[in-house]
Amino acid sequence: MTWPDTVKLKNLTWNRSLDSNFNKQIKIDYLIVGQGIAGTMMAYHLIKAGKRILVVDNGVSSSSMIAGGLFNPVTGRRFVKSWLIDELLPCAETVYKDMEVILGKKLLYKLPIVKYLSGEEEKEVYERSIQDDKKKYIAGFTASESGNKYASCEIKGGGYIDTLLLITAFRKYLDQQHSFVESNFAYNDIIINELNIVWGDFQACSIIFCEGYRATENPYFPGLPFNLAKGEILTVRIPGLYAENILMSTGYLVPVGNDIYKMGSTYEWDDLTTLPTEKGRKELIGKLKKITELPFEILNHEAGIRPAVKQRRPLLGKSHINDKMFILNGLGTKGVILAPYFALQLAEYILQGKPIEKDVDINFS
Ligand SMILES: Cc1cc2nc3c(=O)[nH]c(=O)nc-3n(C[C@H](O)[C@H](O)[C@H](O)COP(=O)(O)OP(=O)(O)OC[C@H]3O[C@@H](n4cnc5c(N)ncnc54)[C@H](O)[C@@H]3O)c2cc1C
């Protein structure tokens, strides 16, 4: 194969001129396809383990880049404790804090989530929840000053990750390590040998696919139970709101500074394009108006496809078609909190043979 036209050759040329195997194939341990939050976390854990990696991403805007970045330990109208949250939260905090040091950027914002209670039923659920095992995540009921009849409660242990900064800063970091190529990866460009897989000028021991929703086309992982969900999100300026917490009603409003907020999000299962729609815009404005009546200005309107799964569990493991191929996907609506933990689990499976939890192992689901 020759390099596709879209490949940025700058660093490869530089890399090759330093490589003693000039004009031969460059040996790497792992080729990672896709650098959303899944590919980012996979690369992070493998670099930490001392492995030589190459990440390939086509540079198309990803779900991770537009996400609200929210993580929330108690979700929905019934205050359901998020699956595995007691394990996920500490892992995520350790990883994001470490990445802040590596990248020299602030990524993790631990903020209370102020949840408006929509009615008597939700208030009753809240009252039951503060008696049970969720109580460490739920703070006291607060009377509202904004005329909301049922006021609000505060969810603790939540916050948001600046995912756009994470992805772009980590991409730059990988690039500086000569570990990133901007290119489209085509399945028929690889040559599979007994001991390795060749992609262009690279010879990898294994490939790890972190392609987000595009995994539905991956011939090495057929039939995975995806239930893709499009989502739309607004970036808005709301002068005078001065919210320092995440505000949540039927949607969420994340304060990102300078009077600017992320207003998310919609769910759509039929239209699976990445184009924002008028319908989505109207829905998001409706959600915003349930949180504040202040005037606002829309700065941006984006859409992406969540790699959601019917069972709402991530998808990890080895291909049954080729044992040099692995997948990390199915992060659905919770990529920010799931990715650090499950990328580590897949890395430990690949490197040390540690078992993958049955709930998420593609060979069990
Ligand atoms: C509107 C919206 C709001 C959201 N808000 C939140 C939130 O608040 N909190 C939260 O936790 N989650 C949120 N999510 C979900 C979150 O975005 C996903 O869980 C997560 O981004 C999935 O990450 P991923 O790395 O699997 O996929 P992606 O982010 O889609 O990344 C896949 C990457 O692979 C690349 N790629 C794919 N195929 C190829 C190929 N053949 N060649 C080269 N590159 C390729 C793509 O270009 C992309 O960069 C939201 C999603 C949407 C749409």
Side-chain angles (χ1 to χ4, degrees):
M1 168 204 153
T2 53
W3 282 106
D5 293 342
T6 49
V7 166
K8 276 187 186 167
L9 282 169
K10 182 183 60 147
N11 291 319
L12 289 172
T13 309
W14 188 90
N15 202 12
R16 276 194 230 157
S17 64
L18 288 183
D19 200 298
S20 56
N21 291 327
F22 185 58
N23 272 345
K24 293 189 199 150
Q25 273 162 347
I26 300 164
K27 286 186 182 163
I28 51 170
D29 296 312
Y30 298 99
L31 176 64
I32 298 174
V33 179
Q35 195 234 331
I37 192 113
T40 296
M41 289 300 157
M42 213 54 240
Y44 165 83
H45 287 301
L46 290 171
I47 291 170
K48 282 257 152 190
K51 297 298 165 189
R52 194 168 180 197
I53 59 149
L54 182 79
V55 180
V56 52
D57 191 287
N58 53 24
V60 175
S61 174
S62 62
S63 180
S64 302
M65 280 172 148
I66 66 146
L70 183 75
F71 56 96
N72 177 6
V74 184
T75 58
R77 296 183 57 167
R78 304 212 141 262
F79 290 83
V80 176
K81 190 170 158 185
S82 271
W83 175 66
L84 223 58
I85 194 68
D86 295 333
E87 283 79 36
L88 299 178
L89 267 179
C91 176
E93 187 168 344
T94 305
V95 168
Y96 288 122
K97 281 190 172 163
D98 190 40
M99 293 186 99
E100 287 187 335
V101 174
I102 294 169
L103 301 175
K105 308 275 184 204
K106 173 101 178 122
L107 304 169
L108 168 65
Y109 295 83
K110 289 165 78 176
L111 296 180
I113 299 171
V114 175
K115 182 172 165 67
Y116 294 108
L117 304 174
S118 62
E120 200 59 67
E121 190 194 339
E122 204 172 18
K123 189 164 173 242
E124 278 168 20
V125 175
Y126 157 76
E127 276 162 358
R128 279 201 303 276
S129 301
I130 54 171
Q131 319 281 342
D132 63 23
D133 68 329
K134 288 172 273 191
K135 64 177 174 243
K136 73 172 177 177
Y137 294 120
I138 303 175
F141 177 81
T142 314
S144 170
E145 290 165 12
S146 67
N148 181 311
K149 191 177 168 197
Y150 295 100
S152 60
C153 70
E154 189 182 302
I155 297 174
K156 297 183 286 182
Y160 79 95
I161 300 297
D162 188 337
T163 53
L164 179 59
L165 184 60
L166 168 69
I167 303 295
T168 51
F170 194 68
R171 189 164 299 183
K172 197 169 163 196
Y173 168 83
L174 290 171
D175 205 28
Q176 284 163 353
Q177 317 281 320
H178 315 294
S179 297
F180 182 80
V181 173
E182 185 174 310
S183 171
N184 196 53
F185 176 92
Y187 304 110
N188 55 13
D189 280 343
I190 53 174
I191 300 164
I192 303 173
N193 300 317
E194 201 179 330
L195 294 175
N196 56 40
I197 298 177
V198 174
W199 182 68
D201 289 349
F202 294 92
Q203 207 184 87
C205 301
S206 300
I207 301 186
I208 305 171
F209 289 99
C210 302
E211 308 155 281
Y213 78 95
R214 292 181 193 88
T216 49
E217 291 157 25
N218 191 322
Y220 298 99
F221 296 91
L224 292 177
F226 282 107
N227 184 27
L228 304 180
K230 177 175 179 171
E232 300 189 34
I233 188 163
L234 298 176
T235 306
V236 290
R237 191 196 313 275
I238 316 178
L241 182 59
Y242 306 126
E244 290 177 351
N245 301 331
I246 294 165
L247 305 179
M248 185 170 282
S249 175
T250 52
Y252 57 81
L253 196 63
V254 178
V256 295
N258 300 323
D259 290 337
I260 297 174
Y261 301 82
K262 290 268 189 180
M263 179 69 227
S265 58
T266 63
Y267 286 83
E268 163 66 50
W269 290 267
D270 295 327
D271 163 21
L272 292 176
T273 67
T274 52
L275 298 172
T277 64
E278 184 56 24
K279 179 173 166 254
R281 198 177 80 95
K282 282 188 181 148
E283 189 181 328
L284 288 165
I285 290 173
K287 288 174 190 278
L288 175 57
K289 285 185 172 169
K290 283 191 179 156
I291 295 175
T292 178
E293 286 164 4
L294 285 170
F296 58 89
E297 177 194 354
I298 296 178
L299 304 177
N300 204 357
H301 178 194
E302 294 163 291
I305 312 290
R306 302 175 184 91
V309 173
K310 285 184 191 124
Q311 296 85 341
R312 298 188 187 182
R313 295 288 180 262
L315 300 168
L316 278 70
K318 188 193 283 184
S319 163
H320 66 266
I321 294 175
N322 186 296
D323 67 1
K324 293 184 198 63
M325 297 194 183
F326 301 88
I327 192 167
L328 174 61
N329 212 304
L331 300 179
T333 59
K334 295 184 180 167
V336 155
I337 197 73
L338 293 170
Y341 182 91
F342 283 105
L344 177 61
Q345 190 164 119
L346 184 60
E348 288 180 343
Y349 169 71
I350 296 170
L351 301 175
Q352 300 160 23
K354 281 195 183 176
I356 295 173
E357 282 172 42
K358 283 187 182 167
D359 275 355
V360 300
D361 189 335
I362 54 167
N363 295 305
F364 278 93
S365 56

